């Protein structure tokens, strides 16, 4: 691995991004983003232990997501202003303390406050990805980002089953304690390994935040890609929030079996490096079309009423994950190419939009399932990528050169 080296803020990196460093970035992103999801499948264990009511227990996940959104908007843009390595390490240290405090919490109010802080500090992952994009040479930037995003998606998909299994055997406090130890190890390695990068951008913090609106207004590619991936992630979140209910109620799956289902769905993360290579080769338009079509068609087993049972859900999970991950990497590859000095702010805007889409999808899952079962879930889930596909075709057609 490369030793810490000062990297310039221009488009071409001064530090070499080795395969070992790429693997470290991918693993670290997966480990950090997992902190957002550990509590989701074990709230029913946490609540009685802390004497929480059902309403308070539901706030655990919500506050974690709110904290992450706040971090995306207020912390990630600082990557265009402050030395990246120090900012990432400082944010990760807050995450370590927060996770350790969660494992020791004894009161509902204290645990909810810590949940907000866990989400807020988990944005360290969104500081690593633009740094890797900066360090990567232009001709392989898509492949690098794709590989690292594969690690991030695996972290999302594996965190829930791992949390469930660990909590079943060792208790929910052990989950957060182990996560704190893992974060301490990851942060130590990153502190000793990743290159330094001091941005050349000079502005006050409030000027930096104020420039976000200007970026949205002046960069149509950012708006288009953020909307597309926001809709795809809404479908993703709706599926993964509702599918455990379907597996439990209609197929009698245990918590461990649901965990195995999530592991199978993680196969879809393999699309990330593929998408990156396609983008590097100049096939972003075709690859985006494939991703959006796959997102729509992934719900075919439920919509045509195949008697495939849980196997149809497996197919949907794999294809949907593949499509969502591919579209995300293609979008990041394009927005990182817009303006090198603004990558962290561009990433903050892109990811905030995606988060809003994901929050929308997960928030309606229970209501849709109670009113229409899995069929209604599949219909609404397919509508999101269908809208994204329609928008993509409209934009592609409007920008196509006219024939003489």
């Amino acid at each position: 691995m490369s030793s810490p080296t000062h990297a310039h803020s221009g488009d071409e990196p001064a530090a070499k991004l080795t395969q070992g460093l790429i693997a470290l970035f991918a693993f670290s992103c997966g480990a950090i983003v997992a902190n957002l999801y550990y509590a989701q499948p074990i709230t029913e264990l946490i609540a009685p232990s802390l004497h929480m009511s059902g309403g308070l227990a539901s706030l655990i996940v919500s506050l974690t997501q709110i904290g992450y959104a706040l971090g995306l908007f207020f912390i990630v843009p600082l990557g265009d202003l402050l030395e990246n390595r120090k900012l990432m390490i400082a944010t990760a240290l807050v995450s370590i303390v927060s996770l350790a405090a969660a494992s020791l919490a004894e009161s509902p109010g204290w645990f909810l406050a810590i949940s907000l802080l866990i989400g807020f500090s988990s944005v360290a992952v969104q500081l690593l990805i633009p740094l890797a994009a900066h360090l990567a040479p232009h001709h392989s930037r898509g492949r690098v980002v794709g590989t690292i995003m594969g690690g991030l998606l695996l972290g999302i998909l594996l965190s829930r089953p791992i949390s469930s299994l660990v909590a079943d055997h060792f208790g929910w406090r052990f989950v957060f304690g182990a996560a704190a130890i893992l974060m301490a190890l990851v942060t130590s390695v990153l502190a000793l390994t990743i290159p330094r990068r001091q941005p050349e951008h000079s502005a006050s913090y409030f000027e930096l935040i104020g420039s976000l609106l200007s970026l949205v207004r002046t960069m149509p590619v950012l708006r288009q890609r953020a909307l597309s991936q926001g809709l795809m992630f809404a479908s993703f979140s709706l599926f993964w929030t509702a599918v455990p209910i379907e597996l439990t109620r209609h197929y009698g799956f245990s918590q461990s079996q649901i965990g195995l289902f999530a592991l199978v769905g993680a196969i879809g993360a393999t699309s990330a490096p593929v998408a990156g290579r396609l983008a590097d080769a100049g096939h972003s338009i075709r690859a985006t079309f494939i991703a959006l079509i796959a997102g729509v068609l992934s719900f075919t087993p439920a919509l045509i009423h195949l008697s495939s049972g849980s196997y149809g859900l497996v197919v949907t999970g794999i294809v949907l994950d593949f499509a969502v991950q591919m579209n995300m990497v293609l979008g990041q590859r394009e927005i990182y190419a817009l303006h090198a000095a603004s990558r962290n702010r561009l990433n903050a805007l892109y990811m905030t939009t995606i988060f809003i889409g994901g929050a929308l999808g997960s928030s309606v899952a229970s209501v849709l399932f109670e009113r229409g079962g899995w069929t209604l879930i599949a219909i609404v889930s397919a509508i999101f990528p269908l809208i994204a596909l329609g928008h993509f075709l409209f934009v592609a057609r409007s920008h196509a050169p006219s024939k003489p």
Side-chain angles (χ1 to χ4, degrees), residues 17-65:
L17 193 63
T18 65
Q19 291 300 314
L21 197 55
I22 294 172
L24 174 62
F25 272 57
F27 177 81
S28 300
C29 283
I32 296 170
V33 80
N35 297 332
L36 294 169
Y37 301 97
Y38 287 135
Q40 286 191 1
I42 59 174
T43 54
E44 293 185 0
L45 297 178
I46 297 171
S49 174
L50 298 178
H51 307 291
M52 280 186 179
S53 64
L56 282 179
S58 65
L59 287 177
I60 295 174
V61 175
S62 298
L63 286 172
T64 304
Q65 294 174 335

Side-chain angles (χ1 to χ4, degrees), residues 118-199:
I118 288 174
F120 186 78
S121 58
S122 294
V123 295
V125 69
Q126 298 303 336
L127 297 168
L128 275 174
I129 298 170
L131 176 59
H134 173 82
L135 295 173
H138 178 76
H139 64 84
S140 63
R141 185 167 293 135
R143 177 182 61 81
V144 170
V145 172
T147 300
I148 294 171
M149 288 303 297
L152 183 143
L153 185 61
L154 280 174
I156 294 174
L157 294 175
L158 300 182
S159 58
R160 296 182 182 95
I162 290 174
S163 176
S164 296
L165 293 173
V166 171
D168 278 345
H169 289 86
F170 303 103
W172 67 267
R173 294 182 184 277
F174 187 88
V175 173
F176 292 98
I181 294 172
L182 176 60
M183 277 297 300
L185 293 173
V186 168
T187 304
S188 298
V189 174
L190 288 174
L192 296 171
T193 308
I194 62 174
R196 298 175 182 271
R197 175 182 176 252
Q198 177 62 55

Side-chain angles (χ1 to χ4, degrees), residues 109-285:
W110 181 233
F111 189 87
L112 291 176
I114 293 170
S115 296
L116 182 72
L117 200 56
I118 288 174
F120 186 78
S121 58
S122 294
V123 295
V125 69
Q126 298 303 336
L127 297 168
L128 275 174
I129 298 170
L131 176 59
H134 173 82
L135 295 173
H138 178 76
H139 64 84
S140 63
R141 185 167 293 135
R143 177 182 61 81
V144 170
V145 172
T147 300
I148 294 171
M149 288 303 297
L152 183 143
L153 185 61
L154 280 174
I156 294 174
L157 294 175
L158 300 182
S159 58
R160 296 182 182 95
I162 290 174
S163 176
S164 296
L165 293 173
V166 171
D168 278 345
H169 289 86
F170 303 103
W172 67 267
R173 294 182 184 277
F174 187 88
V175 173
F176 292 98
I181 294 172
L182 176 60
M183 277 297 300
L185 293 173
V186 168
T187 304
S188 298
V189 174
L190 288 174
L192 296 171
T193 308
I194 62 174
R196 298 175 182 271
R197 175 182 176 252
Q198 177 62 55
E200 295 176 359
H201 184 80
S202 59
S204 69
Y205 176 71
F206 292 105
E207 289 173 337
L208 191 74
I209 297 299
S211 68
L212 295 175
L213 181 60
S214 175
L215 291 173
V216 173
R217 186 177 62 252
T218 60
M219 295 188 174
V221 172
L222 171 63
R223 297 195 302 269
Q224 294 154 11
R225 281 295 182 177
L227 174 62
S228 172
Q229 188 58 21
L231 290 165
M232 289 291 281
F233 209 67
S235 181
F236 174 90
S237 294
L238 177 52
F239 173 82
W240 283 106
T241 302
V243 76
I245 305 174
E246 173 73 2
L247 291 172
T248 301
R249 295 187 184 181
H250 290 174
Y251 298 100
F253 274 36
S254 66
Q255 193 69 41
S256 296
Q257 288 173 317
I258 292 174
L260 290 175
F261 179 92
L263 290 175
V264 173
I267 294 173
T270 58
S271 70
V274 175
R277 286 179 170 84
L278 288 172
D280 288 338
H283 303 305
S284 290
I285 300 298

